[in-house]
Amino acid sequence: MEKIFQPYSDPVNLEAIRAVSQEIILSVVPEEEVGAEELMDGLIEDYEDGLITTANTDAKISGGFGNVDLVALVVIPLVVAVLKKFFEELIELGFEKYKEWLKEHQEKKPQLSAKVDQFVEEQYTIISTQVKSTKSKSKEKVIKQTTKIVVKRKLGLSE
């Protein structure tokens, strides 16, 4: 079965994930922007392959990064997971075809927006538990709120 949403392999999806992730990181922890850019493609590719980088572990387990604890380790997989659920469970399209679909289905915006909120809440809990980032725990509320706003804007669901 072909994957509908390929976060890393599809250049359009990859660029969208990069843009959304960078905007969230810049809003939440601007000091991590440079470090996050260096890690971003690797984290997205790993997530597509079913892997997730953890924080506060030895270098072998944390993807060779050593004892890192970056909010980006949560934000980037969160963006990928939310968009993946959105496109595979609700729309069954990628970014390119979605824009045209949305023009014809404007009435579905409120339901889609509510689903984004739900997906962010669910996926944040899953990913933050896997990543074990203590730094992101202190910023949980702002990460979730910013992710909801930025993802909805990227999807054309914001008011």
Side-chain angles (χ1 to χ4, degrees), residues 63 88 133 143:
E88 290 187 352
S133 169
I143 290 170

Side-chain angles (χ1 to χ4, degrees), residues 59-71:
K60 184 177 179 184
I61 297 172
S62 65
F65 302 120
N67 192 27
V68 296
D69 188 10
L70 301 173
V71 170

Side-chain angles (χ1 to χ4, degrees), residues 13 16 43 109:
N13 293 339
L43 292 172
K109 280 178 146 181

Side-chain angles (χ1 to χ4, degrees), residues 98-112:
Y98 167 73
K99 291 174 187 173
E100 289 301 317
W101 179 90
L102 187 60
K103 288 177 186 174
E104 298 173 15
H105 296 88
Q106 291 290 311
E107 75 284 356
K108 294 191 179 202
K109 280 178 146 181
Q111 296 92 339
L112 295 173

Side-chain angles (χ1 to χ4, degrees), residues 26 28 34 89 94 96 105 109 126:
L26 190 58
V28 176
V34 173
E89 291 184 18
E96 281 187 287
H105 296 88
K109 280 178 146 181
I126 293 166

Side-chain angles (χ1 to χ4, degrees), residues 125-149:
T125 301
I126 293 166
I127 290 167
S128 65
T129 301
Q130 291 174 323
V131 172
K132 301 174 185 145
S133 169
T134 54
K135 188 174 182 182
S136 70
K137 285 181 184 155
S138 66
K139 298 187 177 288
E140 176 179 354
K141 186 175 181 178
V142 71
I143 290 170
K144 290 193 296 189
Q145 190 60 33
T146 305
T147 301
K148 290 173 185 178
I149 291 167

Side-chain angles (χ1 to χ4, degrees), residues 18-29:
R18 281 184 190 139
V20 170
S21 297
Q22 286 172 334
E23 187 174 343
I24 294 166
I25 291 165
L26 190 58
S27 294
V28 176
V29 281

Side-chain angles (χ1 to χ4, degrees), residues 2-40:
E2 182 184 337
K3 291 181 183 176
I4 294 166
F5 187 76
Q6 296 176 317
Y8 185 79
S9 301
D10 183 319
V12 175
N13 293 339
L14 179 60
E15 189 54 42
I17 291 166
R18 281 184 190 139
V20 170
S21 297
Q22 286 172 334
E23 187 174 343
I24 294 166
I25 291 165
L26 190 58
S27 294
V28 176
V29 281
E31 65 275 12
E32 283 189 23
E33 183 184 22
V34 173
E37 279 184 28
E38 293 174 13
L39 298 172
M40 191 166 306

